[in-house]
Amino acid sequence: MSAAIEARLKELGIALPQAAAPAANYVPYVISGNLLYLSGQLPMENGKIGVTGHLGKDVDVAGGQRAAELCAINILAQAKAALGGDLGRIKRLIKLNGFVASTPDFVEQHLVINGASNLLANVLGEAGKHARAAVGMAALPLNAAVEIDAILEIA
């Protein structure tokens, strides 16, 4: 399955970056039994936050979806690092928790997080279908527009 995932990434024109190091006193992932818990991933691109600001003010839905896609790419990069380079060990993406920096009147967080959900379903196939939450936040670290964490079942 790892080859199939790598082929889908290549087909989509996605090169996974190096997994980001923690910016504070936490670890990027924890493996407990057959579950991989990934810490929140920001929309990092080329070593910096790729999309900043608040949905409903500075960022439109399409920009928010792009931020969510970047988070999903970083989720895959962290998973690859956690699994010794073998994305084929992913049996199922169980849950995404999506946090969207947004104004109080912005109510389309679910559309923003679709950016990550769609990308992960495209890359992982059936194993990429997941439960999720999409929540509005007053602010996120480093003025990121989106942050997403994940729980995966692994072999």
Side-chain angles (χ1 to χ4, degrees):
M1 178 149 156
S2 186
I5 293 171
E6 295 292 343
R8 283 190 211 111
L9 287 168
K10 186 174 181 180
E11 183 180 296
L12 294 168
I14 297 171
L16 296 182
Q18 282 289 102
N25 188 19
Y26 65 92
V27 294
Y29 63 86
V30 171
I31 296 175
S32 181
N34 67 339
L35 296 178
L36 170 59
Y37 296 85
L38 296 175
S39 293
Q41 299 298 304
L42 298 176
M44 300 298 291
E45 186 173 41
N46 301 319
K48 61 182 176 59
I49 303 291
V51 182
T52 58
H54 285 71
L55 278 286
K57 179 182 173 193
D58 314 303
V59 183
D60 62 12
V61 170
Q65 289 172 335
R66 174 70 181 136
E69 289 171 353
L70 290 170
C71 292
I73 289 166
N74 289 303
I75 284 168
L76 290 169
Q78 283 293 353
K80 187 171 184 174
L83 300 173
D86 186 4
L87 289 173
R89 289 182 56 197
I90 297 172
K91 290 175 74 176
R92 178 83 192 244
L93 173 57
I94 295 174
K95 182 156 188 202
L96 292 181
N97 292 303
F99 307 98
V100 181
S102 49
T103 59
D105 60 336
F106 183 81
V107 295
E108 295 183 319
Q109 289 83 358
H110 62 293
L111 297 177
V112 170
I113 301 304
N114 279 349
S117 292
N118 293 341
L119 186 140
L120 291 166
N122 286 337
V123 170
L124 299 174
E126 197 63 28
K129 295 183 179 175
H130 55 275
R132 75 169 201 201
V135 230
M137 308 299 294
L140 289 169
L142 306 174
N143 196 32
V146 177
E147 180 175 359
I148 303 175
D149 68 20
I151 303 169
L152 300 97
E153 180 184 8
I154 57 172

